[in-house]
Amino acid sequence: MKTIILYATKHGAAAEIARRIAERIEGAESYDLKQGSFPGLAGYDCVIVGASLYAGMMRKQAKAFLAQNAHVLRNKRLGLFLSGMNFSKEKEAFEANVPRDILQNAKAAGFLGGIFDPQKAGVLERFVMRAAAKQSAYTDIIDDGRIGQFVRDLTS
């Protein structure tokens, strides 16, 4: 199964998740949607699209990609992942950011965790994390167990 992983990230968590997924799927290729240059989807059986969330919103590059390629994605084995710090909002995050027909077509959809790095975050992001999540230190909650389940769901 030829697989492409496309992701949009702000500070690198979605890129790290894409890397960990690619390690588990032989021959998978990954590309940053913000770079804008990746092969066409025709040569791939499986497409994985992932993005980080900020204030509950998916990165605009991933959202635009899903909208522009909905017709192609219907005919592919599709995986969707989100990266963020709040696992409890998984269902709401997918429903708010992914068109219903695309979400229903996905063989796997998972909220796979995130990274908060205060050195990469802006002043507002640090303030929000400190005020809302009572968090100010580097935190990595990327969940390898969830990544493994995501890959199993997608490839079974």
Side-chain angles (χ1 to χ4, degrees), residues 11-13 54 85 114-122 125-126 129 135-140:
H11 298 304
Y54 289 88
M85 301 301 286
I115 298 171
F116 174 67
D117 185 346
Q119 293 191 8
K120 291 182 179 179
E125 291 169 312
R126 288 192 307 268
M129 288 301 287
Q135 189 170 341
S136 59
Y138 179 90
T139 306
D140 179 341

Side-chain angles (χ1 to χ4, degrees), residues 15-86:
E16 175 61 20
I17 292 169
R19 185 190 67 75
R20 292 184 195 187
I21 291 170
E23 285 178 347
R24 296 168 189 235
I25 301 174
E26 187 176 335
E29 303 169 21
S30 64
Y31 298 91
D32 185 344
L33 286 168
K34 289 186 348 187
Q35 301 302 318
S37 177
F38 55 88
L41 301 178
Y44 295 92
D45 308 302
C46 179
V47 178
I48 300 170
V49 181
S52 54
L53 292 174
Y54 289 88
M57 300 305 298
M58 176 188 263
R59 302 293 302 160
K60 65 182 177 184
Q61 298 88 354
K63 206 169 207 173
F65 175 84
L66 291 173
Q68 293 165 359
N69 293 282
H71 62 288
V72 176
L73 296 174
R74 284 187 197 103
N75 300 315
K76 301 288 182 183
R77 181 176 290 258
L78 178 63
L80 303 169
F81 75 84
L82 294 174
S83 169
M85 301 301 286
N86 189 349

